[in-house]
Amino acid sequence: MGHSLLVLFSFSLFFSSSFAQTLTFSPSDEFYINSGSSESLKLDGGRVFISDSEASSYLSTKDDIQVSSPAVNAPSSLYSSARIFVEQSIYRFKVVDKGWHWIRLYFYPLENEQFALTDAVFSVTTDDIVLLHNFNIDNSTKWVMKEFLVNATTDHLSVIFNPLRNSVAFINGVEVVSAPKTLISDVVSGISPVGDFPGISQHTLQALYRINIGGPEISPENDTLGRTWLPDKSFLWVKQIAKSVKISPAAISYTETVSPLIAPNWVYASALELSPMIRHRFNLTWGFSVDPGFGYLVRLHFCDIISQALNSLYFNVYINGYPAVTGLDLSTLALDLAVPYYKDFMVNASIAMSRIIVQVGPMSPDPSGSDEPEPNALLNGLEIMKISNSFGSLDGEFSVHRGRSLVKAGSKNGTATAVGLFMAFAAFVGLGAMVFRWHKRPEDWRKHNSFSSWLLPLHSGGHSSIISSQRGGSRSGFSGNIYSSSIGMGRYFSFSELQEATKSFNQKSIIGVGGFGNVYLGELDDGTKVAVKRGNPQSEQGLNEFQTEIQMLSMLRHRHLVSLIGYCDEQSEMILVYEYMALGPLRDHLYGKTSKPLTWKQRLDICIGAARGLHYLHTGAAQGIIHRDVKTTNILLDENLIAKVSDFGLSKTAPGMERTHVSTAVKGSFGYLDPEYFRRQKLTDKSDVYSFGVVLCEVLCARPALDPALPREQVNLAEWAMQWQRKGLLEKIIDPSLAGKIAPDSLKKFAEAADKCLREYGVDRPSMGDVLWNLEYALQLQEASPSSMPVNEAILAGSSMQ
Ligand SMILES: *[C@@H]1O[C@H](CO)[C@@H](O)[C@H](O)[C@H]1NC(C)=O
Ligand SMILES: *[C@@H]1O[C@H](CO)[C@@H](O)[C@H](O)[C@H]1NC(C)=O
Ligand SMILES: *[C@@H]1O[C@H](CO)[C@@H](O)[C@H](O)[C@H]1NC(C)=O
Ligand SMILES: *[C@@H]1O[C@H](CO)[C@@H](O)[C@H](O)[C@H]1NC(C)=O
Ligand SMILES: *[C@@H]1O[C@H](CO)[C@@H](O)[C@H](O)[C@H]1NC(C)=O
């Protein structure tokens, strides 16, 4: 596609199948900048990236730092120079034709004498959308191109670079180009619930994956819209069942609805189908990891290049296990063989979680009638685009506009002065400075000082309580709609509001202490009590755990999980606000300073509640989260003794369908650690089951999981209790306050459950669901026992206690 061709085709967009192959698109707006270079650069395909001096009218910055050095082996010479910004800098482009525009940003941390660009942490935004937040490229990553699709609604489009305090931002190349209006339609199909999902054009998209299935990589010069399509090899799960098919790209006949603008003919001319012989038994499966907490637009490209005749190919399409299309019939949709067809699906955050799995497979698993066409399925191409969230962000939950809301909040109290955008950036800077420092910590620092240890209860005070039940998230006030996310993130608190709620973080409000911060009891204006977990601003904290906790909790809602009400990250603060749990950690009610011991039934109810919370994490709507730090201090009780699991700072999303574990550095608490996880560093949901087994022993025996003061064989509770259990004498070591009050059947069932949880190997342990079932059974046995019934009923029931 030569530059002259572009001019020739200017403003003409026509669709006709005979001319379609040569159809190109002429963008009305196009800006290509070879940042940091004194020379312009012409790339294959004709795009000319202009030099810094030619681009100076677009850029407003105080800095003038250009670096260049040959980027060895780089895919493009664009990466050989970079512009470095020490302060906020803005590229501003005039938009002639509103609507979709590509923003492509090229990054490579060039080695230079002035700045270590691999340490640079910065954010990139447009006027209203966060594109990259706390972005960093270390030198393991090399060249990075980030591609966004923005619907320009005004006559300007800005790309704003914000280095964090003490850091710099850099850019090697900027590309802002109009995209065809027909590229993305406003309405896509939802998969659960099934139906139309309108409003895509109100969002900004980020292209994450663009795959040419069964074919070669397609470079920008072979795509009319300058896109890159990668081969599917590294995403395909079971390669043995896939067979690749190819036809000549020239044989693809485009239509009015599907032009080469949607995808080049190379994409439709190759595909994977099911291998013969095993066709009716398998799905072809591709897996992609994605950021949790976001919705995704999944575009699937099909073209029947395998059938000999029409009406002989029908197959099913699944996304994350949900049926996306049942009985897809390309003959009816495309009307001919070798005619392209595509379909867009909306996969929302609660379905996407942290992976998107696309499957195509046969309609009926067992072909009965012999005149039926042999089952088969195919896929030619695939695109996954991240959709900006309700904060107007594609990276995290921080809005560009937050500053403006803060102004409102401040002026309410008569404190804030000026600010505008600057405030938002100040917040970015604050948070980022932490990432920056944190990045430099040695790896094992995180193991010892996890954010989650903030929730260690305070065992000295008379009043040990954390976190609880009334929700406080619904006040209107300044927090406004910007913060009430569709995924239930909770709200944003200003620092001054939390200061007020905790009486300026008064020592007397402290209800828990941890490695580097305190937990305070706070009271909001409407009287709601909250637990406020604050990182010590002087210390360097695990920003990662802070974000993990926000992300995990924002996806999770369950009666037996502690809810996050909101957070504050103003200045250098990292504060989480939770529901307040009036009765504090379970541990405090088992031993130590307990005043009134819990009854057996109360203990069973608490264990059942906690088991439900964990079961939900492992298998429920939230599917596939491993808590990793199950212990009696992380099971909290509200004023009605309802148990809730807390502290998700260490949680991990469980592995995909094919892999069975996550390899990871061992984290967790001694005394509760799964021995198998410890040995093999392989984490599964069965590691939580083990830790829960230890919790069951603690509940029964009322002593800590590890007690170094005891004789050697008694130090580790799990080992000691299981020795007695295997001798059949467990009742000898139970909490004396329970003696004679547990129905023997109930104790037996409970002990069996603990025993199974504590099996040496994960495979021998039950699922949380089975554990839950056993505990419920133990509760029934207790309730049915004579001691818990009125006397005459017990006699009628005819059961006897031994
Ligand atoms: C972009 O957004 C505007 C206003 O939200 C809308 O009217 C327009 O149709 C959108 N453009 C495209 C190409 O979808
Ligand atoms: C990354 O860069 C640092 C500092 O320049 C260097 O010490 C380190 O070896 C590099 N690592 C890799 C993987 O290149
Ligand atoms: C791209 O186009 C060039 C020149 O026409 C050709 O040599 C190359 O093979 C093409 N590559 C792909 C993947 O289409
Ligand atoms: C294909 O995958 C779907 C969803 O994961 C599943 O329900 C179906 O049974 C699978 N079909 C075959 C033949 O394996
Ligand atoms: C997102 O998924 C959840 C769970 O399946 C569903 O209840 C909700 O309606 C979905 N929302 C949209 C907009 O598709």
Side-chain angles (χ1 to χ4, degrees), residues 212 216-219 221-222 266:
N212 177 21
E217 175 172 339
I218 300 170
S219 48
E221 58 270 24
N222 291 6
W266 285 91

Side-chain angles (χ1 to χ4, degrees), residues 280-283 318 321 359 362 365 657:
H280 52 281
R281 286 195 286 125
F282 295 98
N283 288 320
Y318 307 89
Q359 294 173 290
M657 290 186 203

